[in-house]
Amino acid sequence: MGFSDDVIKLHRQVARLKELTRRGWVARGVDAPESVADHSLGVCALGLVFADRLDLDRGKVLTMAALHDLCEALCGDVIPADGVDPASKLAREDAAMVQVLGDLPGGEGLLALWRDMARGGSEEGCLVKELDTLE
């Protein structure tokens, strides 16, 4: 089975998250902080449980959870101490997600789900934002 360029590009972005440490933990002096990929897996695991408990769309929750920090592969892990206003941060992340997802078949649908999560538009989006904070 061969992989298309868009899938290879996505894989490279995901692989970057394995090497990107969570800056909030680094700033607090935590030894061996988790990676963004580690954190994202935790959000997915929590989403799996809470979607069913809250009778929400599990597929939507898991997709949002899997996507929620993918933009950080391009724009980094921006933390409050960086002093970036929330609107600017969201704009940067949105532009990064367009780059990451834009070439994929179904990329517009994935982008719409990410935007829903980023803005807390639906119950599923609000849940993922809360789980992101919890995790």
Side-chain angles (χ1 to χ4, degrees):
M1 173 199 322
F3 294 103
S4 59
D5 289 343
D6 56 343
V7 173
I8 292 169
K9 177 183 166 188
L10 176 65
H11 181 263
R12 286 186 182 138
Q13 304 304 331
V14 171
R16 287 182 184 177
L17 298 179
K18 296 176 187 179
E19 303 299 323
L20 185 63
T21 55
R22 303 234 13 246
R23 290 192 51 238
W25 296 130
V26 172
R28 288 176 179 80
V30 172
D31 289 330
E34 69 183 348
S35 71
V36 172
D38 294 330
H39 161 74
S40 293
L41 177 60
V43 175
C44 287
L46 290 169
L48 185 65
V49 173
F50 279 96
D52 288 344
R53 287 190 179 178
L54 298 172
D55 197 30
L56 298 177
D57 182 330
R58 184 190 314 146
K60 189 173 177 181
V61 168
L62 289 176
T63 301
M64 289 175 169
L67 293 172
H68 88 278
D69 277 342
L70 187 55
C71 55
E72 292 183 11
L74 296 180
C75 61
D77 184 17
V78 177
I79 60 174
D82 294 332
V84 177
D85 73 276
S88 294
K89 180 178 185 251
L90 183 59
R92 286 185 202 174
E93 290 176 342
D94 191 87
M97 289 302 282
V98 168
Q99 274 190 277
V100 172
L101 300 173
D103 295 334
L104 289 173
E108 284 299 318
L110 294 173
L111 184 60
L113 285 174
W114 179 84
R115 286 175 172 157
D116 177 340
M117 181 282 311
R119 292 169 175 84
S122 64
E123 289 184 73
E124 290 85 356
C126 289
L127 172 64
V128 173
K129 283 183 74 86
E130 289 181 32
L131 295 177
D132 182 27
T133 300
L134 173 65
E135 212 293 320

